Amino acid sequence: MHSLIITSGNSKNFQQLRNFVLSLRSQGQYTGLIVLCDNSISGTWDNPGTWQENDSFREEEKQFFKEQDVSILQINTLVNENTIDPEIIRNIKSPTQRYPYKFVYNTLISKLYINKVKNIFYFDSDIYFQAPFEPIAELSEAGKILIVKEFLKMQEGYFLPKWLKFSDFSKVSDQDEYLKTMLPAENFCSGFYGSEANTFHRFNLLALLLTSNQFINFYSDQPLVNILKTYFHYPFKEISNKYCLHLGELKRENYTVENGKFTFEGKIPIAVHFNSGKYQELESVLTGIPLPSPPKRSLVDKVVGRLKKAIR
């Protein structure tokens, strides 16, 4: 049976989606199913509106996806075909534009394919494939969700501590104990996760049910994934960054570009997640523009860096 890979986006980030699909089909040598959720949402990043009811892609963009054997499913269609009351979703507190739609469409799309594919994986569209995808699929294990760690702990980021504190456990549990558990914890990215089909579907279903509960608000997809892993001990399977490298938090001196491929610690990761902020580096490489050499670090900077690493 084939695998299924799900991604999402809209016409505004078509070039990013194009790079994702072409790299997956070529360097990734992936011949399985790809489903793109047309997920156009009004509002701004930190002031969300709601989903667009019509498809967003132009005819020439649709033709590209057709040629690459990519199925497009519109989020409004998924909601309507499953007779879901849109107000249930709209009433979920959504401080950021992308939340909680990832769990909505991943639940509904995996419901469609659950008995038709062996494995299901989700990838954000700002991911680029550099090597064959199959070794990732081979890691799938029933009952466990594949996930990759980022380089900063939860409390070291700018947004994540705020997102974690948005979840108030005090009415039903111990908020201090929750924060003592979560803030010092490792940070796992929700830009890529996957497993065998049943496990993937049930995980997204559970996340969707949690987001819509009336007791505790869960801010965004990434904090909830980490709360499930660290606080509730949901069974995840951590895999190394040779499978998917999260570039966003790395300084320029920590990675190189060799023959058009991003490398880390002498290895070429299968997939690179640019975390949006560094996507321009991929665009430069794809257009043949070499990246500037990383600045040379002084001895003082090296010592400070080592001390920070030791403290972490």
Side-chain angles (χ1 to χ4, degrees):
M1 294 176 72
H2 280 297
S3 290
L4 165 65
I5 288 179
I6 303 172
T7 191
S8 65
N10 53 69
S11 186
K12 292 179 181 178
N13 70 323
F14 171 72
Q15 188 60 41
Q16 196 174 87
L17 287 163
R18 184 178 184 276
N19 292 336
F20 174 89
V21 170
L22 289 177
S23 68
L24 179 57
R25 290 295 193 206
S26 55
Q27 291 96 281
Q29 298 178 14
Y30 178 75
T31 59
L33 302 174
I34 303 175
V35 170
L36 162 61
C37 180
D38 185 351
N39 185 33
S40 184
I41 305 170
S42 63
T44 58
W45 183 81
D46 58 351
N47 184 27
T50 189
W51 61 85
Q52 183 173 307
E53 295 189 359
N54 300 314
D55 62 335
S56 70
F57 293 106
R58 297 187 292 271
E59 288 305 316
E60 61 269 25
E61 295 168 344
K62 293 179 184 177
Q63 182 60 33
F64 165 80
F65 292 124
K66 182 178 180 181
E67 291 171 356
Q68 295 296 321
D69 198 19
V70 176
S71 299
I72 303 174
L73 294 176
Q74 213 271 333
I75 187 169
N76 192 60
T77 302
L78 288 167
V79 171
N80 290 338
E81 287 182 347
N82 287 279
T83 62
I84 296 172
D85 181 357
E87 291 306 309
I88 294 176
I89 301 172
R90 293 190 180 109
N91 286 336
I92 298 172
K93 292 185 178 181
S94 308
T96 63
Q97 192 180 35
R98 67 181 182 272
Y99 173 82
Y101 301 108
K102 180 179 288 186
F103 296 133
V104 173
Y105 58 71
N106 277 338
T107 298
L108 299 180
I109 292 172
S110 60
K111 176 189 172 187
L112 288 172
Y113 287 89
I114 195 168
N115 296 315
K116 300 176 182 177
V117 297
K118 181 180 180 182
N119 304 308
I120 305 178
F121 305 91
Y122 173 80
F123 287 91
D124 280 349
S125 62
D126 60 339
I127 287 176
Y128 186 79
F129 293 87
Q130 304 189 124
F133 170 78
E134 186 57 28
I136 294 178
E138 292 172 353
L139 296 171
S140 292
E141 183 179 340
K144 294 183 179 180
I145 295 289
L146 300 182
I147 202 161
V148 181
K149 185 166 55 184
E150 294 193 4
F151 289 92
L152 295 179
K153 294 183 184 296
M154 300 296 286
Q155 64 189 0
E156 294 171 338
Y158 178 77
F159 291 108
L160 284 169
K162 298 178 182 178
W163 291 349
L164 288 173
K165 292 174 184 178
F166 180 77
S167 296
D168 184 2
F169 282 73
S170 61
K171 293 181 181 179
V172 291
S173 188
D174 186 332
Q175 181 71 0
D176 289 338
E177 190 268 341
Y178 156 73
L179 291 175
K180 287 178 183 177
T181 302
M182 290 306 307
L183 288 174
E186 303 287 357
N187 174 23
F188 291 83
C189 185
S190 61
F192 152 65
Y193 60 92
S195 188
E196 62 84 37
N198 269 292
T199 301
F200 181 89
H201 175 72
R202 291 172 185 172
F203 170 72
N204 283 280
L205 177 60
L206 174 62
L208 178 58
L209 296 176
L210 283 172
T211 62
S212 58
N213 87 90
Q214 298 297 304
F215 286 94
I216 300 173
N217 300 318
F218 290 101
Y219 196 134
S220 183
D221 49 289
Q222 189 149 326
L224 178 54
V225 166
N226 280 275
I227 290 168
L228 281 170
K229 184 184 187 305
T230 301
Y231 191 69
F232 289 107
H233 301 290
Y234 191 92
F236 286 81
K237 181 178 179 179
E238 180 185 350
I239 61 176
S240 75
N241 51 41
K242 75 177 184 179
Y243 297 100
C244 185
L245 173 68
H246 296 292
L247 204 69
E249 297 167 341
L250 284 178
K251 293 182 179 179
R252 179 65 186 88
E253 62 264 24
N254 295 132
Y255 58 93
T256 60
V257 179
E258 300 175 16
N259 298 318
K261 293 187 177 182
F262 290 80
T263 66
F264 177 67
E265 296 182 341
K267 299 174 184 176
I268 299 174
I270 292 174
V272 180
H273 188 191
F274 291 88
N275 300 93
S276 294
K278 288 193 174 180
Y279 198 80
Q280 72 277 3
E281 294 192 7
L282 173 63
E283 293 173 330
S284 295
V285 170
L286 292 178
T287 54
I289 301 173
L291 295 183
S293 299
K296 292 184 178 180
R297 299 173 69 194
S298 67
L299 180 60
V300 173
D301 288 338
K302 290 178 181 179
V303 172
V304 171
R306 288 171 185 168
L307 286 173
K308 287 181 177 178
K309 187 175 182 181
I311 291 170
R312 286 203 297 267

